[in-house]
Amino acid sequence: MSDADAALHAALATVERRNPGQHLFRQAAHEVLESLAPVVKQHPEYVEGAILERMVEPERVISFRVPWVDDSGKIHVQRGFRVQFNSALGPYKGGLRFHKTVDEDTLKFLGFEQVFKNALTGLELGGGKGGSDFDPHGRSDNEVMRFCQSFMAELAHHIGEYTDVPAGDIGVGGREIGYMFGQYRKITGRFESGVLTGKGIGYGGSWARTEATGYGLVYFVREMLRETDYSLEGSRVVVSGSGNVAIYAAKKASQLGATVVGCSDSSGYVVDEEGLDLDLLCDVKEVRRERLSAYASDRSSAEFVDSGSVWDIDCDIALPCATQNELDGDAARTLAENGCRVVAEGANMPCTEEAVHVFQEQGVLFGPAKAANAGGVATSGLEMRQNAGRLQWDFERVDSELDRIMTNIHATAASTAEEYGMPGDLVAGANIAGFRKVADAMLAQGVI
Ligand code: NDP
Ligand code: 2IT
């Protein structure tokens, strides 16, 4: 075994020994380390500098109690976290997730992925992630507000525009960011707009941040298709989820001439052969905050299905935009058999490792999350720039910067894959390019 292989095995063994039961984090670490052999072989300084061991250990994990009172007066206690993973390239940056499944494992996997994704954006962003096992489903605005205030009462001690800048993720959108920003301002007595991103347009937010992850995903797909016989125009697209990422991915895909025939939520999926009515979908999911079945009740061309999987729908392009491990080996085989040619990840780690191998074996073009969904955090980086300059760019300017960044990320992942002898393998290309940027910054900054 070469020194490089031995170092990679040792790093993985350390992850497994130190993180018993943390299957998501172990999966994410395995998926990255598996693709680094060629680069570690060429650069013994990464092994000598213990870069692998340092990278798989978060700089800091903060865990705290979040008590809150519901509308009936009952007291609940949730767990809150912030995982500050790596700050070699900038302040920790990454979203907050409010979902009943959130635990330390979930946030370590997300924080680890975020480090490499943020490096690919080319902006000064370290990586982190946070959140809570609070379940916002069915909660009133006042309950959500009280929870956000309690969560921020502790988080405020750990964040700041130069230290750690949270944003949204599952269960955290404009409403929650607003409540948390208000509480941060009250606790610190400072209007520090760069402390959170995804803020409202009227108080320091950036145009196009709401749309950015979904739009960026579709810009990335457009780049993937550039030198192929396929195009978005005239294609059948299926997205999973029906939240922030899914809705704006569907919107941009439709604008570019695709028909988006399906989407899902945790209760089932919808097939709509006429193409999703995105205004209705936004109304059901974002304004009324109802289940997806309400969409089908309001639209005669749509059918709601509460069994099977959204990946059973025939499509040319599949965009998983809901959650981790939502697309497994069987779903990947079904998609490939049904003629799907392109899969790009809007969610974080939505495809299992087996699914990714199926796509690679079957010649389905595959865009990994770290590259394909980086548009959200990239636009957060643009929001931080606007906040630092105390100005606000217009929608067109932010959108065109986003497009440029996504085009660059695709070019970097593709050229890195080629440089290391794996042409077309955007997984390896994205992992290696992100890793090198962080590793070089860590080496330059010494053993800290
Ligand atoms: P939202 O909360 O807006 O939407 C999440 C959607 O996914 C909902 O439709 C939800 O259904 C569904 N979903 C969530 N968990 C599950 C589950 N366990 N099983 C089935 N469906 C589920 O979140 P976002 O759109 O912001 O995030 C979606 C994905 O994109 C996540 O993986 C996130 O990490 C990733 N991402 C988000 C970015 C952002 O800027 N927001 C940036 C980059 C990546 P239901 O309503 O029924 O729960
Ligand atoms: O997964 C992600 O990249 C996000 N949830 C967005 C993070 C951010 O800081 O904008």
Side-chain angles (χ1 to χ4, degrees), residues 216-217 219-220 371-375 402-410:
L217 175 67
Y219 296 148
F220 192 88
N373 76 27
L402 167 66
D403 192 340
R404 186 184 58 76
I405 291 170
M406 296 314 295
T407 304
N408 272 343
I409 292 176
H410 178 268

Side-chain angles (χ1 to χ4, degrees), residues 39 42-43 46 419-420 431-441:
V39 65
Q42 275 184 22
H43 295 275
Y46 294 149
E419 185 187 335
Y420 286 89
N431 284 342
I432 293 173
F435 169 80
R436 289 213 55 186
K437 187 120 204 271
V438 183
D440 289 343

Side-chain angles (χ1 to χ4, degrees), residues 97 99 117 137 169-171 209 213 241-245 264-266 285 291 321-323 346-348 373:
R97 178 176 292 191
H99 192 270
K117 180 196 308 193
H137 288 108
D169 193 81
I170 291 177
R209 174 62 188 90
T213 312
S242 48
N244 173 265
V245 180
S264 63
D265 70 4
S266 56
K285 298 302 293 185
R291 311 309 296 163
C321 297
T323 195
N348 286 305
N373 76 27

Side-chain angles (χ1 to χ4, degrees), residues 295-448:
Y295 172 92
S297 315
D298 285 5
R299 184 152 160 99
S300 57
S301 57
E303 187 196 347
F304 178 73
V305 185
D306 64 3
S307 59
S309 150
V310 70
W311 309 122
D312 295 339
I313 307 173
D314 277 15
C315 63
D316 305 307
I317 300 175
L319 304 176
C321 297
T323 195
Q324 62 274 3
N325 291 332
E326 53 159 314
L327 198 167
D328 62 11
D330 288 340
R333 280 181 279 274
T334 304
L335 281 167
E337 275 160 26
N338 287 343
C340 175
R341 304 312 327 151
V342 183
V343 176
E345 296 183 314
N348 286 305
M349 207 168 73
C351 299
T352 63
E353 287 188 272
E354 188 193 353
V356 177
H357 289 140
V358 170
F359 294 139
Q360 288 169 336
E361 276 160 20
Q362 305 276 329
V364 175
L365 295 179
F366 180 71
K370 282 182 208 79
N373 76 27
V377 75
T379 306
S380 281
L382 301 177
E383 182 171 332
M384 290 161 70
R385 283 196 177 165
Q386 294 168 76
N387 293 153
R390 299 200 180 286
L391 44 80
Q392 193 169 53
W393 302 336
D394 62 20
F395 187 96
E396 288 65 31
R397 173 156 180 201
V398 182
D399 188 36
S400 75
E401 286 274 318
L402 167 66
D403 192 340
R404 186 184 58 76
I405 291 170
M406 296 314 295
T407 304
N408 272 343
I409 292 176
H410 178 268
T412 302
S415 64
T416 306
E418 227 169 290
E419 185 187 335
Y420 286 89
M422 293 168 281
D425 185 344
L426 297 177
V427 175
N431 284 342
I432 293 173
F435 169 80
R436 289 213 55 186
K437 187 120 204 271
V438 183
D440 289 343
M442 289 174 74
L443 276 182
Q445 293 174 34
V447 182
I448 45 166

Side-chain angles (χ1 to χ4, degrees), residues 99-385:
H99 192 270
K100 61 186 177 197
T101 58
V102 162
D103 58 12
E104 189 180 306
D105 179 27
T106 315
L107 298 174
K108 274 164 71 176
F109 120 65
L110 288 163
F112 182 72
E113 294 273 295
Q114 198 82 46
V115 172
F116 303 98
K117 180 196 308 193
N118 293 4
L120 286 170
T121 66
L123 303 170
E124 281 183 4
L125 302 171
K129 203 85 187 190
S132 172
D133 56 4
F134 173 69
D135 180 2
H137 288 108
R139 291 295 174 193
S140 69
D141 281 355
N142 278 330
E143 288 176 322
V144 170
M145 180 180 74
R146 286 195 293 275
F147 174 79
C148 288
Q149 289 174 340
S150 181
F151 183 79
M152 183 53 85
E154 174 62 33
L155 189 69
H157 302 306
H158 309 285
I159 62 175
E161 68 172 311
Y162 296 111
T163 48
D164 186 351
V165 183
D169 193 81
I170 291 177
V172 178
R175 174 182 62 170
E176 292 74 18
I177 293 290
Y179 294 146
M180 287 191 273
F181 186 74
Q183 178 76 334
Y184 182 83
R185 188 167 59 72
K186 178 165 179 175
I187 289 171
T188 59
R190 291 155 56 88
F191 193 100
E192 185 186 331
S193 45
V195 70
L196 288 172
T197 60
K199 299 179 295 296
I201 293 298
Y203 63 95
S206 173
W207 288 106
R209 174 62 188 90
T210 306
E211 293 83 355
T213 312
Y215 279 23
L217 175 67
V218 176
Y219 296 148
F220 192 88
V221 169
R222 183 198 63 206
E223 292 307 301
M224 288 172 74
L225 295 176
R226 202 169 277 288
E227 281 162 30
T228 70
D229 296 335
Y230 311 112
S231 97
L232 277 153
E233 194 166 0
S235 64
R236 269 170 77 86
V237 174
V238 169
V239 301
S240 63
S242 48
N244 173 265
V245 180
I247 286 175
Y248 291 99
K251 208 167 228 174
K252 182 52 73 177
S254 321
Q255 278 173 16
L256 298 184
T259 307
V260 185
V261 292
C263 68
S264 63
D265 70 4
S266 56
S267 65
Y269 68 92
V270 147
V271 194
D272 188 340
E273 288 295 335
E274 287 190 5
L276 294 176
D277 175 339
L278 295 169
D279 292 333
L280 175 60
L281 187 62
C282 274
D283 184 50
V284 169
K285 298 302 293 185
E286 290 191 331
V287 182
R288 288 149 56 185
R289 296 183 191 273
E290 290 185 46
R291 311 309 296 163
L292 202 50
S293 49
Y295 172 92
S297 315
D298 285 5
R299 184 152 160 99
S300 57
S301 57
E303 187 196 347
F304 178 73
V305 185
D306 64 3
S307 59
S309 150
V310 70
W311 309 122
D312 295 339
I313 307 173
D314 277 15
C315 63
D316 305 307
I317 300 175
L319 304 176
C321 297
T323 195
Q324 62 274 3
N325 291 332
E326 53 159 314
L327 198 167
D328 62 11
D330 288 340
R333 280 181 279 274
T334 304
L335 281 167
E337 275 160 26
N338 287 343
C340 175
R341 304 312 327 151
V342 183
V343 176
E345 296 183 314
N348 286 305
M349 207 168 73
C351 299
T352 63
E353 287 188 272
E354 188 193 353
V356 177
H357 289 140
V358 170
F359 294 139
Q360 288 169 336
E361 276 160 20
Q362 305 276 329
V364 175
L365 295 179
F366 180 71
K370 282 182 208 79
N373 76 27
V377 75
T379 306
S380 281
L382 301 177
E383 182 171 332
M384 290 161 70
R385 283 196 177 165

